[in-house]
Amino acid sequence: MPALTRHIHPGWLIIAPLLVLVMALYLGPILNILWLSVTDPEPGFGNYAKLGESDALIRIVWTTVRICIITTLFSVTLGYSIAYAMVHCHQRQKNYMLTLLLVSFWISILVRTFSWLMLLGRKGLVNVTLEDIGLIAEPIAFMRNELGVLIGMIHYMIPYAVLPLLVSMQSLDMRVMDASRNLGASGSQTFWRIYLPLTTPGIVASTLLVFILSLGFYVTPAVLGGGKVLMVAEYISVQLLVTLKWGTAAMLAAIMLMGVLAMLWVMSRFMKLSTVFGGAAR
Amino acid sequence: MHDKQFMKETLQDSAHAYKEGRMDRRTFLALCGASGVALNAVLAGDAEAAADHVVMWNWGGQSEECHGSAIGDAFTASTGKGLKFDTSGPLEGKIKEMVDSGNVTADVADADLFNAVSLGPTGHLEPIDYSVVSKDKTLPGYALEHGVSVILYGYAFVYDTEAYGDNPPQNWADFFDTAKFPGMRSLYKWANGSLEAALMADGVAGDALYPLDMDRALAKITSIKDNSLYWGSGSEAHSMVVNGEVSMGMVWQNRGRNIENDTDGRYKLVNNQALAMPGAYIVPKGNPAGAAVMQFIATAQEVPAQLALLDCLGMTPSNPAAFGQIPDDQQDYAITSAKNIDKIVYNDPDWWGKNGGDAVNAFLEAIS
């Protein structure tokens, strides 16, 4: 036993049950998916070859990636200004803002999605008001198209973007900014050359979080896209439940998984990912 | 296999004993645990279902109440067995997954007849026992080896009387004519019905639809793509119309009356050229209640059940004996009523069962 503990830290014993659970309940099904993608309907890489043969599949993947990039861009930018405002206002106001943020975080995605329809739909509050005061003759098509999907997704993702940024900004040593001003830099110079670079880990963290979560969006595109914005998650569900092409579904799931892993790997080339996830930069 | 059957019977007996108080709960559960068969049913929380219930797998909402009153009560009266529900929606993939996993918890699924064509030959369904269920109590061609049509629902459309009141649209050709009838349209997202409507609009006769000419249908669909939305559920179809998002909307005919009521008659149902879809009862392979479910299906075929389903859910009878008894206030809405039956066309479950998957994908790719 002493020989064993010399090589294996006893701490592992405490986390062993968790590790076993994760292996059994998470890795198992993932391996099963990967296996399905090369065995259904017949063994081989036929499902993956479809990506090269079918324009439609490529288009669906591209639509997904495009929407996720735009969503991430807007969510992180808007999230940055919200987090900035929260860090730099009075404690009281900060608490109000944090409460509002968390409340929207907790509201079901379905409720938030359908609220947008009531607000921005063809007969929604905004269109009806604009028509009544005579600003527009025809309702503006905010919803049931790609714009609608983006509005719904960005709105849903902003709290996810804010939280990592908030943590990153709160941990900054503000004396550095004072020093910068003291040395003659203007306010905007200090922001662009000191503040922004110091919050990079927060930006990367919220970008990764928002992008990866966006890839799996299902409800929002299905409802707000009016059936014409087809993203990977919805397509996978149709292949599983309606058309019974489980191999295609597994292939797309595997592609998404590998895409995310590849993204993390590329990121790790440029920076220490541990700083993004809250570790110390060494 | 033999052992399995034996255990199942033992368990059914003990379930009766447990219900009547001759066996305590712990012994009963221990017996369940000892048998591999019913362990699943115990895990699912309704061990008794194995013995004296039939579990119906439907789509929830109103259907739970309606299936209970229209079929369940009569079934219980004649057999003494109860009716329970799983309301998670028996999509084809879910049925396949349930049977493949060996954890079959449902006896009868409220599905489409084309599901019987695609899942039957792959061994996922029990054959229908036509010594109990009647082939004459449904339309000809709708009593298949692995499923029987119990109701019909139709792909029809509603239109805005304020927009087209003077010259209302009559058929699918008008539905697809956005020059003559300007405005938005809504269609079903998973191809079914939408493809047939497009072909009829393009001039194909209702009795010559199958095999579907996919290229021709998709060309017609994409011709109104900019003016159309697509719905994935009955409630979404309903809300697109009621919220005024479309001037003409394809709907399931059984929703027609509710839409007319909810819009105070502003939207009106057109059943001309409605596509009759055979809604079918199918039985997952290895269902817990065994052969008893066939009696349930037979009960659903009877005229009183057929008329009760029409009254409660708006589902149209498929038993020809019930056609003549459709009440006056349902004549406009039921697609097999004397008023509508000569104007409708019929879905071919065989074509959909064999080609449905590819058709759905081609359709999704065309509209996205």
Side-chain angles (χ1 to χ4, degrees), chain B residues 282-346:
Chain B
I282 58 179
V283 179
K285 190 91 183 169
N287 66 303
V293 72
M294 294 301 158
Q295 261 172 307
F296 176 81
I297 298 176
T299 309
Q301 289 188 301
E302 297 299 331
V303 173
Q306 297 268 302
L307 294 175
L309 285 173
L310 173 63
D311 183 55
C312 195
L313 282 174
M315 296 297 184
T316 302
S318 67
N319 179 353
F323 294 176
Q325 299 183 41
I326 292 170
D328 284 346
D329 64 335
Q330 290 281 7
Q331 284 286 324
D332 284 329
Y333 306 103
I335 53 175
T336 51
S337 69
K339 198 169 178 181
N340 289 325
I341 193 160
D342 294 329
K343 298 187 262 177
I344 62 173
V345 298
Y346 295 91

Side-chain angles (χ1 to χ4, degrees), chain A residues 59 144 226 228 234 239 241, chain B residues 93 189 228 245 361 365:
Chain A
R59 209 175 64 223
R144 307 286 194 192
K228 292 190 271 194
E234 190 183 1
Q239 303 311 312
L241 296 174
Chain B
K189 184 154 65 170
S228 53
E245 289 186 78
N361 279 343
E365 283 150 17

Side-chain angles (χ1 to χ4, degrees), chain B residues 186-230:
Chain B
S186 58
L187 291 156
Y188 185 44
K189 184 154 65 170
W190 293 347
N192 210 314
S194 298
L195 292 170
E196 284 91 342
L199 286 173
M200 283 188 266
D202 211 31
V204 179
D207 54 4
L209 287 170
Y210 302 96
L212 296 183
D213 182 343
M214 286 299 292
D215 292 338
R216 189 169 170 185
L218 293 179
K220 192 73 183 173
I221 295 279
T222 45
S223 73
I224 60 160
K225 188 170 162 181
D226 292 340
N227 291 308
S228 53
L229 306 175
Y230 301 88

Side-chain angles (χ1 to χ4, degrees), chain B residues 248-293:
Chain B
M248 276 193 232
M250 170 184 273
V251 294
W252 285 322
Q253 136 279 328
N254 60 304
R255 293 242 173 202
R257 186 148 80 160
N258 285 348
I259 290 175
E260 287 186 6
N261 289 341
D262 287 357
T263 58
D264 296 325
R266 177 168 171 176
Y267 283 81
K268 198 166 166 3
L269 180 70
V270 176
N271 265 327
N272 185 32
Q273 289 188 325
L275 177 75
M277 285 295 299
Y281 286 175
I282 58 179
V283 179
K285 190 91 183 169
N287 66 303
V293 72

Side-chain angles (χ1 to χ4, degrees), chain B residues 60-367:
Chain B
Q62 259 188 306
S63 55
E64 189 168 344
E65 186 191 317
C66 293
H67 285 142
S69 60
I71 318 167
D73 292 351
F75 174 69
T76 307
S78 66
T79 63
K81 292 178 195 293
L83 179 63
K84 282 189 171 185
F85 295 98
D86 171 349
T87 57
S88 61
L91 282 166
E92 208 166 297
K94 290 193 196 168
I95 300 174
K96 180 173 145 90
E97 196 276 332
M98 182 185 273
V99 175
D100 284 350
S101 73
N103 182 12
V104 179
T105 52
D107 292 299
V108 56
D110 180 18
D112 278 300
L113 194 54
F114 63 79
N115 298 138
V117 177
S118 51
L119 289 175
T122 54
H124 291 90
L125 300 178
E126 296 283 353
I128 300 296
D129 180 357
Y130 284 107
S131 66
V132 180
V133 177
S134 168
K135 281 197 175 185
D136 299 326
K137 292 179 179 166
T138 187
L139 287 171
Y142 283 174
L144 305 181
E145 189 183 349
H146 294 98
V148 57
S149 171
V150 169
I151 52 95
L152 299 171
Y153 64 94
Y155 284 99
F157 70 91
V158 293
Y159 70 92
D160 183 355
T161 54
E162 278 183 28
Y164 317 121
D166 301 334
N167 175 27
Q170 313 276 343
N171 49 34
W172 291 117
D174 292 346
F175 185 93
F176 277 82
D177 190 344
T178 49
K180 202 166 141 199
F181 298 95
M184 292 294 283
R185 306 289 193 264
S186 58
L187 291 156
Y188 185 44
K189 184 154 65 170
W190 293 347
N192 210 314
S194 298
L195 292 170
E196 284 91 342
L199 286 173
M200 283 188 266
D202 211 31
V204 179
D207 54 4
L209 287 170
Y210 302 96
L212 296 183
D213 182 343
M214 286 299 292
D215 292 338
R216 189 169 170 185
L218 293 179
K220 192 73 183 173
I221 295 279
T222 45
S223 73
I224 60 160
K225 188 170 162 181
D226 292 340
N227 291 308
S228 53
L229 306 175
Y230 301 88
W231 49 268
S233 68
S235 55
E236 204 179 357
H238 186 114
S239 73
M240 279 179 178
V241 173
V242 173
N243 295 336
E245 289 186 78
V246 294
S247 322
M248 276 193 232
M250 170 184 273
V251 294
W252 285 322
Q253 136 279 328
N254 60 304
R255 293 242 173 202
R257 186 148 80 160
N258 285 348
I259 290 175
E260 287 186 6
N261 289 341
D262 287 357
T263 58
D264 296 325
R266 177 168 171 176
Y267 283 81
K268 198 166 166 3
L269 180 70
V270 176
N271 265 327
N272 185 32
Q273 289 188 325
L275 177 75
M277 285 295 299
Y281 286 175
I282 58 179
V283 179
K285 190 91 183 169
N287 66 303
V293 72
M294 294 301 158
Q295 261 172 307
F296 176 81
I297 298 176
T299 309
Q301 289 188 301
E302 297 299 331
V303 173
Q306 297 268 302
L307 294 175
L309 285 173
L310 173 63
D311 183 55
C312 195
L313 282 174
M315 296 297 184
T316 302
S318 67
N319 179 353
F323 294 176
Q325 299 183 41
I326 292 170
D328 284 346
D329 64 335
Q330 290 281 7
Q331 284 286 324
D332 284 329
Y333 306 103
I335 53 175
T336 51
S337 69
K339 198 169 178 181
N340 289 325
I341 193 160
D342 294 329
K343 298 187 262 177
I344 62 173
V345 298
Y346 295 91
N347 168 275
D348 178 3
D350 194 55
W351 188 89
W352 273 98
K354 288 170 182 155
N355 305 286
D358 291 332
V360 170
N361 279 343
F363 187 83
L364 284 178
E365 283 150 17
I367 63 169

Side-chain angles (χ1 to χ4, degrees), chain A residues 265-280:
Chain A
W265 182 79
V266 170
M267 284 291 188
S268 74
R269 300 286 94 188
F270 293 106
M271 61 187 305
K272 271 194 86 72
L273 276 184
S274 59
T275 60
V276 170
F277 298 119

